[in-house]
Amino acid sequence: MASFVRLSPSPPSLCRSASRLSPPRIAPFKKSGVGVRGVLLRIQCLQQDQKGADDVNAETSSSSSSSSASSSSVSAYRWSAGLGGLGLIETAYLSYLKLTQSDAFCPIGGQTCGDILNSDYAVVYGIPLPLIGMLAYGTVAILSLQLAVNIFPFKINENDGRFVLLGCTTAMASASAYFLYILSAKFTGVSCPYCLLSAFLSFSLFFTIIKDFGFQEIQKEVVLQLLLAVLVVFALNTSYSSLEPANKR
């Protein structure tokens, strides 16, 4: 009489051990059903082994892509920390000159660097502009270092740090663009290497953080960035609006 045997799924370990012991062979068909059971068992083992290999490959690919993205972010934070450190050194030097009323060393343009540093445009709402720049560059440098080593004080997380960094660099790039306009419109024929270096650092920081966020993620923050840029330009323009008549004389 033909006997019917119910097949239960075999563990992958048993399948692998069975495949090592004997090569896969197709048993001849028998009326008792034992030959069919052997064929089905070997097919099931092959399917389970293939599924396990696919799962391992998927996990390996996912972990490698996530580690690559993480290393890219760390590299971007280190770059921004280095650029922020350079900006901090520059603005600290200019702050010292501004507070001590010293003459600035200007490799190009003679005394034009000192003329700009001592002008009314070097003050925003009564605060020396280099001090504001020193605070901004210092914040970017410290926050970038914290993001690079993934250590955050005051119970903030990585996402909060990234958005603060994005806001700082957006405001700095907007202010630099406005100051370049002031330099070309109000100081015609005047050279200021410090101004150009600060603008270069600000734009470099901005594009470094933009690249780290990626196009898909940055699209969600475009409105906030535009709003922040408008507020920065409006605040600077309001501070300098009273200087217009004096410069026209």
Side-chain angles (χ1 to χ4, degrees), residues 79-99:
W79 269 106
S80 60
L83 294 172
L86 290 177
L88 178 61
I89 295 173
E90 181 202 11
T91 51
Y93 170 68
L94 296 178
S95 298
Y96 168 78
L97 297 178
K98 182 69 174 176
L99 295 176

Side-chain angles (χ1 to χ4, degrees), residues 34-49:
V34 177
V36 176
R37 182 180 64 181
V39 172
L40 294 178
L41 178 60
R42 284 176 172 82
I43 292 175
Q44 188 179 28
C45 288
L46 291 175
Q47 290 177 346
Q48 290 181 358
D49 290 341

Side-chain angles (χ1 to χ4, degrees), residues 169-179 203 225 228-230 232-233 236:
T169 54
T170 300
M172 293 167 65
S174 303
S176 294
Y178 182 83
F179 289 132
F203 291 136
Q225 285 183 283
L228 182 58
V230 170
V232 170
V233 172
L236 293 174

Side-chain angles (χ1 to χ4, degrees), residues 45-87:
C45 288
L46 291 175
Q47 290 177 346
Q48 290 181 358
D49 290 341
Q50 182 64 32
K51 183 179 179 181
D54 293 339
D55 292 341
V56 170
N57 292 334
E59 292 176 359
T60 303
S61 176
S62 176
S63 61
S64 62
S65 61
S66 62
S67 62
S68 176
S70 177
S71 62
S72 177
S73 296
V74 170
S75 177
Y77 298 147
R78 288 175 179 173
W79 269 106
S80 60
L83 294 172
L86 290 177

